Amino acid sequence: MDQSTGALITQVAPDFDCWDDVLKLILRAFAYMDGIIDPPSSAHLLTAERLKDKARHETVFLALEAGRIVGCIFVLERADYFYVGKLAVEPGLHGRGIGRRLMQAAEDLALSRGKNAIELQTRVELSGNHAAFSRLGFRETGRTAHTGYDRPTSITMRKVLS
């Protein structure tokens, strides 16, 4: 346990059954995006069952504090890198290093599997996220548009691991 955050970072076990709690966390953490990003966040399409299914193909790390889920990250192995998504931290706990430590767990997993990079996507409108990911060593590598949009809606960022 890291004393600076009080949160324990742990990998989800195969018998984990608290997907409703993870869903609620993601929805709370992504709520600030409502009315800011277009199209709306895919978090609105999630269900506990979809998260459970996602975890069958991805590695999930949780941040736990006093037995409560206060953060999560989903990590998908691809051919040459790992893709990280659904990074969520309890809104009242921002600035305590929980997101950074979840991202570190993803980096450690990537390195342990012989990958030299991790990648993510963030929405164009979320400049605060761009800055936060830049501070973690990510650099923009491209922009993409969601289906039906003729302008970029997402920024792809990559961090090369050493």
Side-chain angles (χ1 to χ4, degrees):
M1 185 179 301
D2 183 322
Q3 298 305 315
S4 66
T5 66
L8 170 70
I9 306 300
T10 185
Q11 186 173 331
V12 167
D15 62 346
F16 180 78
D17 67 351
C18 296
W19 294 109
D20 283 326
D21 293 337
V22 176
L23 176 62
K24 289 174 188 172
L25 167 69
I26 291 171
L27 293 176
R28 283 191 304 274
F30 284 46
Y32 79 98
M33 298 177 196
D34 292 344
I36 295 174
I37 63 171
D38 182 36
S41 173
S42 62
H44 294 295
L45 303 175
L46 292 174
T47 63
E49 192 57 39
R50 283 185 178 161
L51 289 173
K52 183 177 181 179
D53 185 54
K54 196 170 165 55
R56 289 185 184 104
H57 310 285
E58 300 180 38
T59 302
V60 182
F61 292 100
L62 300 176
L64 304 173
E65 203 167 76
R68 185 172 141 242
I69 300 170
V70 297
C72 69
I73 190 169
F74 286 71
V75 188
L76 175 64
E77 186 170 4
R78 295 207 169 139
D80 299 323
Y81 63 96
F82 270 79
Y83 180 82
V84 296
K86 298 301 181 246
L87 172 62
V89 174
E90 189 66 50
L93 300 179
H94 289 185
R96 293 183 46 204
I98 295 169
R100 176 185 47 78
R101 293 186 55 237
L102 286 163
M103 194 65 78
Q104 185 63 55
E107 290 179 28
D108 292 346
L109 176 64
L111 288 169
S112 75
R113 301 260 180 94
K115 310 296 185 194
N116 69 352
I118 57 174
E119 195 170 278
L120 58 81
Q121 287 192 311
T122 184
R123 294 302 191 87
V124 169
E125 300 92 341
L126 301 178
S127 58
N129 285 4
H130 311 164
F133 292 131
S134 291
R135 285 190 300 274
L136 291 175
F138 285 84
R139 299 294 170 253
E140 181 177 335
T141 60
R143 292 183 179 223
T144 57
H146 284 79
T147 302
Y149 287 76
D150 61 358
R151 62 169 173 78
T153 54
S154 293
I155 297 173
T156 302
M157 300 183 83
R158 178 177 274 242
K159 179 177 182 178
V160 176
L161 307 174
S162 49

